[in-house]
Coordinates of all heavy atoms in Angstrom, one line a residue:
K1190 N 12.7 23.5 6.9 CA 13.7 22.8 6.0 C 13.5 21.3 6.1 O 13.6 20.6 5.1 CB 15.1 23.2 6.5 CG 16.2 22.6 5.7 CD 17.6 23.1 6.1 CE 18.7 22.4 5.3 NZ 20.0 22.8 5.8
D1191 N 13.2 20.8 7.3 CA 13.0 19.4 7.5 C 11.8 18.9 6.8 O 11.8 17.8 6.1 CB 12.9 19.0 9.0 CG 14.2 19.0 9.7 OD1 15.3 19.1 9.0 OD2 14.2 18.9 11.0
N1192 N 10.7 19.7 6.8 CA 9.5 19.3 6.1 C 9.7 19.2 4.6 O 9.3 18.3 3.9 CB 8.4 20.3 6.4 CG 7.7 19.9 7.7 OD1 8.0 19.0 8.4 ND2 6.7 20.8 8.1
M1193 N 10.5 20.2 4.0 CA 10.8 20.2 2.6 C 11.6 19.0 2.2 O 11.4 18.4 1.2 CB 11.5 21.5 2.2 CG 10.6 22.7 2.2 SD 9.2 22.6 1.1 CE 10.0 22.3 -0.5
T1194 N 12.6 18.6 3.1 CA 13.4 17.5 2.8 C 12.5 16.2 2.8 O 12.7 15.3 1.9 CB 14.5 17.3 3.9 OG1 15.3 18.5 3.9 CG2 15.4 16.1 3.6
G1195 N 11.6 16.1 3.8 CA 10.7 15.0 3.8 C 9.8 14.9 2.6 O 9.6 13.8 2.1
I1196 N 9.3 16.0 2.1 CA 8.4 16.0 0.9 C 9.2 15.5 -0.3 O 8.7 14.7 -1.1 CB 7.9 17.5 0.7 CG1 6.9 17.8 1.8 CG2 7.2 17.5 -0.6 CD1 6.4 19.2 1.8
I1197 N 10.4 16.1 -0.5 CA 11.2 15.6 -1.7 C 11.5 14.1 -1.6 O 11.3 13.4 -2.6 CB 12.5 16.4 -1.7 CG1 12.2 17.9 -2.0 CG2 13.4 15.9 -2.8 CD1 13.4 18.8 -1.9
L1198 N 11.9 13.7 -0.5 CA 12.1 12.2 -0.4 C 10.9 11.4 -0.6 O 10.9 10.3 -1.2 CB 12.7 11.9 1.0 CG 14.2 12.4 1.3 CD1 14.5 12.3 2.7 CD2 15.2 11.6 0.4
A1199 N 9.8 11.9 -0.1 CA 8.5 11.2 -0.2 C 8.1 11.1 -1.7 O 7.6 10.1 -2.2 CB 7.4 11.8 0.6
L1200 N 8.3 12.2 -2.4 CA 8.0 12.2 -3.9 C 8.8 11.2 -4.6 O 8.3 10.4 -5.5 CB 8.1 13.6 -4.4 CG 7.1 14.7 -4.0 CD1 7.5 16.0 -4.5 CD2 5.7 14.3 -4.4
L1201 N 10.1 11.2 -4.4 CA 11.0 10.2 -5.0 C 10.6 8.8 -4.7 O 10.7 7.9 -5.5 CB 12.5 10.5 -4.6 CG 13.1 11.8 -5.1 CD1 14.5 12.0 -4.5 CD2 13.2 11.8 -6.6
S1202 N 10.3 8.6 -3.4 CA 9.8 7.3 -3.0 C 8.6 6.8 -3.7 O 8.6 5.7 -4.2 CB 9.5 7.3 -1.5 OG 8.9 6.2 -1.1
S1203 N 7.7 7.7 -4.0 CA 6.5 7.3 -4.7 C 6.8 6.9 -6.1 O 6.1 6.0 -6.7 CB 5.5 8.5 -4.7 OG 5.0 8.8 -3.4
V1204 N 7.7 7.6 -6.8 CA 8.1 7.2 -8.1 C 8.7 5.8 -8.2 O 8.3 5.0 -9.0 CB 9.1 8.3 -8.7 CG1 9.6 7.8 -10.1 CG2 8.4 9.6 -8.8
F1205 N 9.6 5.6 -7.3 CA 10.2 4.2 -7.3 C 9.2 3.1 -6.9 O 9.2 2.1 -7.6 CB 11.4 4.2 -6.3 CG 12.7 4.8 -6.8 CD1 13.0 6.1 -6.5 CD2 13.5 4.1 -7.7 CE1 14.2 6.7 -7.0 CE2 14.7 4.7 -8.2 CZ 15.0 5.9 -7.8
I1206 N 8.4 3.4 -5.9 CA 7.5 2.4 -5.5 C 6.4 2.1 -6.6 O 6.0 1.0 -6.9 CB 6.8 2.8 -4.2 CG1 7.8 2.7 -3.0 CG2 5.6 1.8 -3.9 CD1 7.3 3.2 -1.7
G1207 N 5.9 3.2 -7.2 CA 5.0 3.0 -8.3 C 5.5 2.2 -9.5 O 4.8 1.3 -10.0
A1208 N 6.8 2.4 -9.8 CA 7.4 1.7 -10.9 C 7.6 0.2 -10.4 O 7.5 -0.7 -11.3 CB 8.7 2.3 -11.3
S1209 N 7.9 0.0 -9.2 CA 8.2 -1.3 -8.7 C 7.0 -2.3 -8.8 O 7.1 -3.5 -9.0 CB 8.7 -1.3 -7.2 OG 7.6 -1.0 -6.3
F1210 N 5.8 -1.7 -8.6 CA 4.6 -2.5 -8.8 C 4.5 -3.1 -10.2 O 4.2 -4.3 -10.3 CB 3.3 -1.6 -8.7 CG 2.8 -1.4 -7.3 CD1 3.2 -0.3 -6.5 CD2 2.0 -2.3 -6.7 CE1 2.7 -0.1 -5.3 CE2 1.5 -2.2 -5.4 CZ 1.9 -1.0 -4.7
I1211 N 4.9 -2.4 -11.2 CA 4.8 -2.9 -12.6 C 5.9 -3.9 -12.8 O 5.7 -4.9 -13.5 CB 4.9 -1.7 -13.6 CG1 3.8 -0.6 -13.2 CG2 4.7 -2.2 -15.0 CD1 2.4 -1.2 -13.2
I1212 N 7.1 -3.5 -12.4 CA 8.3 -4.4 -12.7 C 8.1 -5.8 -12.0 O 8.3 -6.8 -12.6 CB 9.6 -3.8 -12.2 CG1 9.8 -2.4 -12.9 CG2 10.8 -4.7 -12.4 CD1 11.0 -1.6 -12.4
K1213 N 7.6 -5.7 -10.7 CA 7.4 -7.0 -10.0 C 6.3 -7.8 -10.6 O 6.4 -9.0 -10.7 CB 7.0 -6.7 -8.5 CG 8.2 -6.2 -7.7 CD 7.8 -5.7 -6.3 CE 7.3 -6.9 -5.5 NZ 6.9 -6.5 -4.2
K1214 N 5.2 -7.2 -11.1 CA 4.1 -7.9 -11.7 C 4.6 -8.5 -13.0 O 4.2 -9.7 -13.3 CB 2.9 -7.1 -11.9 CG 1.7 -7.9 -12.5 CD 0.4 -7.2 -12.2 CE -0.8 -8.1 -12.7 NZ -2.1 -7.5 -12.4
K1215 N 5.4 -7.8 -13.8 CA 6.0 -8.4 -15.0 C 6.8 -9.6 -14.7 O 6.7 -10.7 -15.4 CB 6.8 -7.3 -15.7 CG 7.2 -7.7 -17.1 CD 6.1 -7.6 -18.1 CE 6.6 -7.8 -19.5 NZ 5.4 -7.8 -20.5
G1216 N 7.6 -9.6 -13.6 CA 8.4 -10.7 -13.1 C 7.5 -11.9 -12.7 O 7.8 -13.0 -13.0
L1217 N 6.4 -11.5 -12.0 CA 5.4 -12.6 -11.5 C 4.8 -13.3 -12.7 O 4.7 -14.5 -12.7 CB 4.3 -11.9 -10.7 CG 4.8 -11.5 -9.3 CD1 3.6 -10.6 -8.7 CD2 5.1 -12.6 -8.4
R1218 N 4.5 -12.5 -13.8 CA 3.9 -13.2 -15.0 C 4.9 -14.1 -15.7 O 4.6 -15.2 -16.1 CB 3.4 -12.1 -15.9 CG 2.1 -11.4 -15.5 CD 1.7 -10.4 -16.6 NE 0.4 -9.8 -16.3 CZ -0.2 -9.0 -17.1 NH1 0.3 -8.6 -18.2 NH2 -1.4 -8.5 -16.7
R1219 N 6.1 -13.6 -15.8 CA 7.2 -14.5 -16.4 C 7.4 -15.7 -15.7 O 7.5 -16.8 -16.2 CB 8.5 -13.7 -16.5 CG 8.5 -12.6 -17.6 CD 9.9 -12.0 -17.8 NE 10.0 -11.0 -18.8 CZ 11.1 -10.4 -19.2 NH1 12.2 -10.7 -18.6 NH2 11.1 -9.5 -20.1
A1220 N 7.5 -15.6 -14.3 CA 7.7 -16.8 -13.5 C 6.6 -17.8 -13.6 O 6.8 -19.0 -13.6 CB 7.9 -16.4 -12.0
A1221 N 5.3 -17.2 -13.6 CA 4.2 -18.1 -13.7 C 4.1 -18.8 -15.1 O 3.7 -20.0 -15.2 CB 2.9 -17.3 -13.5
V1222 N 4.5 -18.2 -16.1 CA 4.5 -18.8 -17.5 C 5.5 -19.9 -17.5 O 5.2 -21.0 -18.1 CB 4.9 -17.7 -18.5 CG1 5.2 -18.4 -19.9 CG2 3.7 -16.7 -18.7
V1223 N 6.7 -19.7 -16.9 CA 7.7 -20.8 -17.0 C 7.3 -22.0 -16.1 O 7.5 -23.1 -16.5 CB 9.1 -20.2 -16.5 CG1 10.1 -21.3 -16.4 CG2 9.5 -19.1 -17.5
S1224 N 6.9 -21.7 -14.9 CA 6.6 -22.8 -13.9 C 5.2 -23.3 -14.0 O 4.9 -24.4 -13.6 CB 6.9 -22.3 -12.5 OG 5.9 -21.3 -12.1
G1225 N 4.3 -22.5 -14.4 CA 2.9 -22.9 -14.5 C 2.1 -22.7 -13.2 O 1.0 -23.1 -13.0
V1226 N 2.8 -22.2 -12.1 CA 2.2 -22.0 -10.8 C 2.3 -20.5 -10.5 O 3.4 -20.0 -10.4 CB 2.9 -22.8 -9.7 CG1 2.2 -22.6 -8.4 CG2 2.9 -24.3 -10.1
R1227 N 1.1 -19.9 -10.2 CA 1.1 -18.5 -9.9 C 1.3 -18.2 -8.4 O 1.0 -19.0 -7.6 CB -0.2 -17.9 -10.3 CG -0.5 -18.1 -11.8 CD -1.9 -17.6 -12.2 NE -2.0 -16.2 -12.0 CZ -3.1 -15.5 -12.3 NH1 -4.1 -16.1 -12.9 NH2 -3.1 -14.2 -12.1
A1228 N 1.9 -17.1 -8.1 CA 2.2 -16.7 -6.7 C 0.9 -16.6 -5.9 O 0.8 -16.8 -4.7 CB 2.9 -15.3 -6.7
G1229 N -0.2 -16.2 -6.6 CA -1.5 -16.1 -5.9 C -2.1 -17.3 -5.4 O -3.0 -17.3 -4.5

Side-chain angles (χ1 to χ4, degrees):
K1190 182 179 179 181
D1191 282 352
N1192 277 358
M1193 286 302 301
T1194 301
I1196 291 174
I1197 293 173
L1198 288 171
L1200 291 174
L1201 291 175
S1202 169
S1203 296
V1204 173
F1205 279 102
I1206 292 175
S1209 73
F1210 273 97
I1211 306 305
I1212 300 173
K1213 288 174 66 179
K1214 184 159 186 176
K1215 192 73 174 178
L1217 289 169
R1218 284 185 174 181
R1219 286 189 180 182
V1222 167
V1223 174
S1224 67
V1226 181
R1227 303 176 63 175

